[in-house]
Amino acid sequence: MPAPIRPTQHPHRVMLHNEVHARPPEAMSAPLAIAHVVMLADAAEREASRAHVAELLRDHHLALPDADSTHLRMDLGSLRMRWELHTEFVSWTFMQPAAVDSLGEREPASAADAVAHDWLAALPGQCLCSLNLWVLPTHIFGSGALVKQLLNEDRLVASSVAGGHGEVYTDFAIHADGFSRMLLLAGGMTPRRLGRLVQRLLEIETYRMAALLGLPAAREAARALALAESELAALAQAIRSARRDDEAALLDRLTRLAGQVESQYAATQSRFSASSAYFGLLDRRIREIAESRLAGMQTIGEFMDRRLSPARSTCEWAARRQDALSQRVSRTSSLLRTRVEIEQQQSSQALLATMNQRQDLQLRMQSTVEGLSVAAITYYVVGLVSHLAKAAQPLGWPLSPESTVAGAIPVVAFGVWCALRRLHHRVLRRPD
């Protein structure tokens, strides 16, 4: 069979093709204890997390990740770990079967307890989110006593999910161990569907925190924007009544203000854009869990809409306010520059008028000088003629020197005048 003929492949074809399979959910079965930790990390810390994974794998005599790995799944005995490298953060998920024999007597164990505490405390980056999620079968455990044992009833949020095949409970609170908590009672779901539901619940908590990273930036930007807007208003008022001597100082103040506004815009715009994207992902994940209301309970979607809407509006308002201020500074700067340019043009026109007057004066003076030059040159040439007439008289020159000089004066004067006019036209004549 002949080898297939393939056209030249795009260098990123395989990577782009496999993107649809990136970070797929895995099959899960209840009862299960899950600990999910999200570490906000820069580029160096994300690379350090790869080395941190390699350290754990080396201790368990497992193959090390390559330099291009962005997610790993590994079995560490009874514990299963999942590591994912994202653009701004690194997520660590630990899973182990939940011990069900002591439920009701004490809190269920966290999957994080099975991880070496020194290794867990040394995760590179800053902890943005840490969540304990317990997945328990509905037909064995009721929700009442267990929910009271794990969660704060005053803050309880709950809903039926996955078309009524599960119930999720949470209080969106950080407990004494530094983890927030969530309880999923699942019944009648296949392992794949349960894995997808768990992944979406973990992503809801992750994207909620990632989206809120724009809120501190928005609050800080609000103070700087208020000062910049006040400065711009003062500049606009000063421009209205400014004299010509004040315009250079005003333009300098306006330029410095524009630099300040653009610097802040560049520093925060990426954060606001990322928050907007995370809010969009959060909305999508909430829709995907297919919530329905439990009697007397607020759903996760309703809670997020009520509690996150002010934060989302604050971020969006700060971004719009920055855009508007940048445009206002640009318009004011253009207005002031236009005013300066108009005054410069008026000054240039006045200077040209003065130069024209001076040129006319120079022409008059030149004409006067030309007349004096004709007289002076005629005087010297006639003096030469007088000497020639005196020298020529003994040789038979018929006229006396005085008569010769008298007759030569008009001829010499006319000749000198014609020569100067010809020279004048030759110098000032435009080239063809």
Side-chain angles (χ1 to χ4, degrees):
M1 180 178 181
I5 300 175
R6 297 191 303 170
T8 303
Q9 303 294 297
H10 190 279
H12 301 306
R13 180 195 171 190
V14 175
M15 183 270 291
L16 296 175
H17 178 272
N18 292 335
E19 183 64 23
V20 296
H21 304 294
R23 304 180 181 91
E26 54 186 299
M28 298 180 183
S29 299
L32 197 63
I34 301 173
H36 181 65
V37 180
V38 177
M39 303 297 292
L40 192 66
D42 57 20
E45 290 167 337
R46 289 196 296 274
E47 287 304 314
S49 72
R50 193 189 306 275
H52 207 61
V53 171
E55 178 184 345
L56 182 64
L57 296 180
R58 193 179 298 110
D59 292 341
H60 287 79
H61 307 288
L62 298 175
L64 303 183
D66 57 44
D68 298 325
S69 297
T70 58
H71 67 281
L72 289 174
R73 296 177 183 175
M74 61 208 75
D75 289 317
L76 308 174
S78 62
L79 183 70
R80 183 168 177 79
M81 189 183 84
R82 178 168 178 163
W83 171 79
E84 295 182 357
L85 190 66
H86 297 263
T87 304
E88 290 189 294
F89 56 84
V90 181
S91 66
W92 308 79
T93 307
F94 307 93
M95 295 169 283
Q96 70 174 4
V100 299
D101 53 352
S102 61
L103 287 178
E105 300 176 3
R106 62 183 180 182
E107 292 184 357
S110 167
D113 296 335
V115 184
H117 290 180
D118 293 341
W119 181 89
L120 187 62
L123 292 179
Q126 297 175 315
C127 183
L128 179 66
C129 166
S130 55
L131 170 68
N132 277 322
L133 171 63
W134 290 277
V135 183
L136 303 176
T138 308
H139 66 279
I140 298 179
F141 302 99
S143 62
L146 193 58
V147 168
K148 294 178 181 179
Q149 185 179 20
L150 289 175
L151 304 174
N152 187 339
E153 288 188 273
D154 296 336
R155 301 180 180 181
L156 192 61
V157 176
S159 62
S160 174
V161 295
H165 290 87
E167 295 178 3
V168 61
Y169 299 83
T170 184
D171 55 7
F172 290 106
I174 298 178
H175 292 258
D177 58 357
F179 282 72
S180 56
R181 295 178 176 181
M182 187 176 291
L183 174 63
L184 173 62
L185 301 180
M189 279 189 284
T190 63
R192 288 288 179 184
R193 187 177 183 185
L194 179 60
R196 289 194 297 270
L197 177 60
V198 167
Q199 180 169 319
R200 287 164 183 164
L201 292 175
L202 297 179
E203 289 176 346
I204 285 174
E205 183 67 8
T206 301
Y207 293 143
R208 175 179 75 91
M209 295 300 296
L212 288 174
L213 284 174
L215 184 59
R219 289 173 176 170
E220 184 177 353
R223 293 189 289 269
L225 287 171
L227 295 175
E229 288 170 345
S230 299
E231 174 69 8
L232 181 60
L235 278 170
Q237 182 65 28
I239 290 173
R240 293 180 56 187
S241 57
R243 296 174 297 179
R244 180 176 299 181
D245 297 338
D246 301 330
E247 290 174 350
L250 289 174
L251 187 58
D252 180 66
R253 286 175 58 189
L254 189 58
T255 302
R256 284 188 281 109
L257 178 62
Q260 175 186 344
V261 171
E262 292 304 320
S263 175
Q264 184 187 32
Y265 182 89
T268 58
Q269 182 61 25
S270 61
R271 183 71 269 156
F272 294 152
S273 298
S275 290
S276 178
Y278 287 132
F279 276 122
L281 289 172
L282 176 62
D283 293 339
R284 188 178 305 169
R285 295 298 182 269
I286 292 175
R287 289 195 301 269
E288 288 173 351
I289 64 174
E291 282 188 296
S292 57
R293 183 183 297 278
L294 290 177
M297 293 292 183
Q298 189 178 21
T299 66
I300 294 177
E302 292 171 343
F303 177 84
M304 293 291 187
D305 183 62
R306 180 183 299 272
R307 300 300 177 90
L308 293 189
S309 290
R312 180 186 299 202
S313 299
T314 299
C315 295
E316 293 174 350
W317 168 79
R320 290 195 302 268
R321 191 176 176 186
Q322 279 188 334
D323 290 336
L325 180 60
S326 178
Q327 294 174 7
R328 287 169 55 195
V329 170
S330 179
R331 288 196 301 267
T332 305
S333 179
S334 299
L335 177 63
L336 182 56
R337 285 191 172 90
T338 301
R339 175 174 172 171
V340 171
E341 290 173 358
I342 290 175
E343 292 185 352
Q344 288 177 345
Q345 291 175 0
Q346 291 175 348
S347 299
S348 299
Q349 290 176 356
L351 180 60
L352 290 174
T354 303
M355 292 176 62
N356 289 334
Q357 293 176 358
R358 290 179 179 178
Q359 186 176 6
D360 292 339
L361 181 59
Q362 288 176 353
L363 290 174
R364 294 191 188 99
M365 293 180 64
Q366 183 178 355
S367 300
T368 303
V369 170
E370 286 180 358
L372 296 175
S373 299
V374 170
I377 295 173
T378 301
Y379 174 79
Y380 287 110
V381 173
V382 168
L384 293 175
V385 172
S386 174
H387 289 295
L388 289 174
K390 290 178 181 180
Q393 192 173 16
L395 300 176
W397 178 255
L399 300 177
S400 64
E402 292 79 5
S403 300
T404 302
V405 169
I409 287 174
V411 176
V412 172
F414 181 73
V416 171
W417 181 82
C418 290
L420 289 176
R421 295 300 298 174
R422 184 177 182 184
L423 179 62
H424 178 75
H425 286 296
R426 181 178 297 176
V427 172
L428 298 181
R429 183 178 60 186
R430 294 181 180 178
D432 294 337

